[in-house]
Amino acid sequence: MTDLNVEGMALAPGVVETIVSIAVGEVEGVASVGPSSASGLRSVFASKPATQGIDVTLDEEEKLHVSVRVDVYYGYALPDLAANVRKAVADAVASQVGASVGAVDVYIDGIQFAR
């Protein structure tokens, strides 16, 4: 994504993706954001959340469309978990960026079992 302009404020690429990553990571039942193979060693050494698996686009109506790929923990109802992810993303983007979210597509790539 290129720079995003919202009401005269320009956001560098990766800013919205980082906000989305943090919001999704705080949803109960989400094990990881992005490809599960990328969450291993990188997450141990990274100082900021990974934004792989998150795609943000802007439509003609100036609304954001967010796609996020997650792994979830076993035992959670997937439709409820996806709804919680959608709400967390829409709330975080609206409150921190001030942009309207048109859609949040949640892709569940895998299920992880308790450690």
Side-chain angles (χ1 to χ4, degrees), residues 15-64:
V15 171
V16 176
E17 289 88 343
T18 301
I19 291 168
V20 169
S21 179
I22 292 169
V24 173
E26 293 176 351
V27 173
E28 185 179 350
V30 173
S32 66
V33 179
S36 56
S37 62
S39 64
L41 284 177
R42 186 179 323 134
S43 66
V44 173
F45 297 109
S47 61
K48 68 178 190 174
T51 58
Q52 284 189 329
I54 298 171
D55 185 41
V56 179
T57 57
L58 191 63
D59 68 10
E60 306 84 35
E61 299 173 358
E62 300 291 315
K63 289 189 177 187
L64 293 177

Side-chain angles (χ1 to χ4, degrees), residues 52 87 94 98 100 104 108 110:
Q52 284 189 329
K87 181 171 178 8
S100 297
V104 178
I108 298 173

Side-chain angles (χ1 to χ4, degrees), residues 68-102:
V68 61
R69 303 185 91 73
V70 296
D71 280 1
V72 299
Y73 288 117
Y74 175 78
Y76 287 87
L78 300 182
D80 295 341
L81 193 136
N84 292 341
V85 168
R86 286 186 196 98
K87 181 171 178 8
V89 168
D91 290 349
V93 171
S95 68
Q96 295 183 38
V97 178
S100 297
V101 177

